[in-house]
């Protein structure tokens, strides 16, 4: 049983809660493979997606997760909503809440926006990514992908390379992977590495090769061009040459190591096309698993609501 009406981040989730979501995702994945993708588990429930930033994977998978589970699902298009007339997030939330909705999946450029919304509404708020803070459902699907492949997370060595500083995916993965007993090493250009990451239990490597050395999984992160003020590296081609993951770098990982990336990928920048499309890549499996994980989260939050609200 989850301990909160909302899912805002992995920092505040216990290992037991994370495992419960991952276990539910196994059942959801089996359901997805069955061919007939309709159940009435969430019949009578309603889900709103409220995305203040662009998204393909997260928004679509929340919408499909709700539909496959039998919930009523509506997307609020921020570009054509009253947000454009200056309505505040709190007022938008209270307005949607007045329509007796059960779940709001939100993405927002401001860190903390989902927590603010959660404090204003009776609906369960799910963080679909907030600024540079957290992207918990992405990290949960990453962990599920590793668990499915390796049958365990404890003891795995996961290397995360790329724009760590601007990455909510990196932060959520660090919290979650450490709670489940994985080792995490990180590498980024100095301008893209936050301070004091060691205090969160990460090994901060001094080179790509050191980060990847002996890794079971190598995760590339997207260059967050939209969150940069510029000047953090000379050019995309130089980033690829000095910081990207390629066939030479991956030789330092364990034989059979898998490649992960949250997407969307800047092809040839964070990862070479040969690695993105190669046999070790689980990038598209991550997308499928995102649907399974979000189905699991919706079901567990519905259970919380039935028992506590
Ligand atoms: N990984 C991820 O959050 O992708 P989207 O931006 O497409 O949702």
């Amino acid at each position: 049983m989850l301990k909160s009406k909302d899912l805002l981040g992995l920092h505040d989730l216990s290992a037991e809660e994370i495992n419960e979501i991952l276990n539910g995702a196994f059942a959801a994945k089996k359901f997805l493979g069955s061919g007939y993708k309709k159940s009435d588990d969430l019949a009578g429930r309603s889900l709103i997606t409220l995305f203040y930033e662009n998204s393909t994977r997260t928004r679509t998978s929340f919408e499909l997760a709700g539909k496959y589970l039998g919930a009523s699902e509506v997307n609020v298009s921020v570009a054509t909503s009253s947000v454009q007339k200056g309505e505040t997030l709190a007022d938008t939330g209270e307005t949607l809440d007045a329509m007796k909705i059960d779940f709001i999946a939100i993405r927002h450029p401001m860190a903390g926006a989902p927590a603010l919304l959660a404090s204003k509404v009776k609906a369960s708020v799910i963080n679909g990514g907030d600024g540079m803070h957290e992207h918990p459902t992405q990290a949960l699907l990453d962990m599920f992908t590793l668990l499915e492949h390796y049958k365990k997370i404890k003891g795995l060595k996961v290397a995360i390379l790329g724009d760590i500083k601007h990455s909510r995916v990196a932060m959520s993965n660090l919290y979650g992977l450490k709670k489940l007993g994985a080792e995490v090493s990180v590498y980024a250009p100095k301008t893209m590495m936050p301070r004091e990451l060691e205090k969160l239990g990460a090994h901060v490597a001094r080179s790509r090769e050191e980060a990847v050395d002996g890794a079971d999984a190598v995760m590339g992160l997207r260059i967050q061009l939209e969150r940069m003020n510029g000047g953090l590296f000379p050019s995309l081609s130089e980033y690829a040459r000095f910081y990207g993951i390629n066939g030479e770098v991956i030789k330092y990982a364990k034989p059979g190591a898998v490649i992960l990336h949250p997407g969307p990928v800047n092809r040839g920048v964070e990862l070479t096309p040969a690695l993105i499309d190669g046999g070790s890549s689980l990038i598209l499996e991550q997308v499928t698993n995102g649907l399974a994980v979000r189905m699991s989260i919706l079901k567990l939050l519905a259970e919380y609501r039935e028992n506590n609200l």
Side-chain angles (χ1 to χ4, degrees):
M1 169 78 89
L2 299 182
K3 298 190 191 86
S4 164
K5 84 170 174 67
D6 310 296
L7 195 140
L8 301 176
L10 295 197
H11 181 269
D12 297 325
L13 224 53
S14 66
E16 291 72 29
E17 290 174 290
I18 293 172
N19 279 322
E20 195 163 7
I21 293 168
L22 300 181
N23 286 338
F26 277 107
K29 183 102 185 248
K30 202 167 163 195
F31 166 85
L32 289 173
S34 71
Y36 182 76
K37 298 183 284 299
K38 194 77 187 164
S39 85
D40 59 4
D41 286 345
L42 292 189
R45 302 271 179 189
S46 49
L47 163 69
I48 300 272
T49 50
L50 179 65
F51 275 50
Y52 291 75
E53 280 184 357
N54 297 336
S55 166
T56 298
R57 292 152 198 78
T58 312
R59 200 189 101 185
T60 309
S61 60
F62 268 119
E63 291 177 4
L64 284 176
K67 285 183 170 139
Y68 289 168
L69 292 170
S72 307
E73 190 283 322
V74 173
N75 171 55
V76 174
S77 169
V78 167
T80 55
S81 74
S82 292
V83 171
Q84 301 305 325
K85 300 176 192 167
E87 188 168 62
T88 65
L89 175 62
D91 284 341
T92 298
E94 284 171 356
T95 301
L96 297 173
D97 217 31
M99 298 184 206
K100 308 298 178 196
I101 54 168
D102 298 290
F103 311 104
I104 304 175
I106 179 175
R107 172 171 288 184
H108 201 283
M110 194 190 89
L116 172 68
L117 179 66
S119 71
K120 300 284 178 193
V121 298
K122 293 191 186 76
S124 290
V125 174
I126 310 165
N127 182 0
D130 60 331
M132 298 190 281
H133 178 226
E134 282 223 41
H135 192 347
T137 63
Q138 177 67 45
L140 286 162
L141 78 86
D142 295 337
M143 285 189 279
F144 178 71
T145 304
L146 290 173
L147 185 58
E148 195 179 44
H149 188 83
Y150 285 110
K151 317 294 178 223
K152 63 170 190 174
I153 290 187
K154 192 175 166 102
L156 287 184
K157 184 175 173 195
V158 181
I160 306 179
L161 284 82
D163 181 5
I164 310 278
K165 185 172 182 172
H166 298 92
S167 176
R168 53 200 179 202
V169 176
M171 293 315 292
S172 288
N173 262 296
L174 189 49
Y175 295 136
L177 286 166
K178 292 303 294 180
K179 281 180 188 185
L180 295 199
E183 282 177 48
V184 181
S185 59
V186 294
Y187 179 67
K190 277 204 173 75
T191 49
M192 294 180 177
M193 180 65 82
R195 285 188 194 155
E196 305 197 331
L197 222 51
E198 290 98 340
K199 286 190 180 160
L200 300 178
H203 167 68
V204 179
R206 282 158 298 177
S207 68
R208 287 178 288 191
E209 291 77 9
E210 184 189 329
V212 167
D213 192 29
D216 298 285
V218 179
M219 182 187 297
L221 295 176
R222 190 169 71 85
I223 300 293
Q224 307 266 311
L225 293 168
E226 71 276 22
R227 287 186 224 291
M228 289 179 196
N229 298 320
L232 298 184
F233 54 90
S235 68
L236 287 179
S237 62
E238 275 159 310
Y239 181 91
R241 191 164 155 216
F242 296 113
Y243 303 104
I245 306 164
N246 56 37
E248 287 307 305
V249 172
I250 213 71
K251 283 181 187 161
Y252 287 81
K254 274 194 191 138
V258 297
I259 307 281
L260 303 175
H261 191 293
V265 185
N266 294 304
R267 279 185 170 262
V269 180
E270 300 107 21
L271 285 164
T272 56
L275 289 177
I276 295 167
D277 302 321
S280 305
S281 170
L282 295 181
I283 294 171
L284 289 177
E285 201 60 31
Q286 286 174 271
V287 177
T288 308
N289 291 343
L291 185 47
V293 161
R294 289 169 183 123
M295 287 171 69
S296 173
I297 290 166
L298 288 174
K299 282 179 72 169
L300 287 167
L301 287 175
E303 203 177 294
Y304 178 93
R305 296 178 70 77
E306 260 161 44
N307 291 320
N308 296 284
L309 302 180

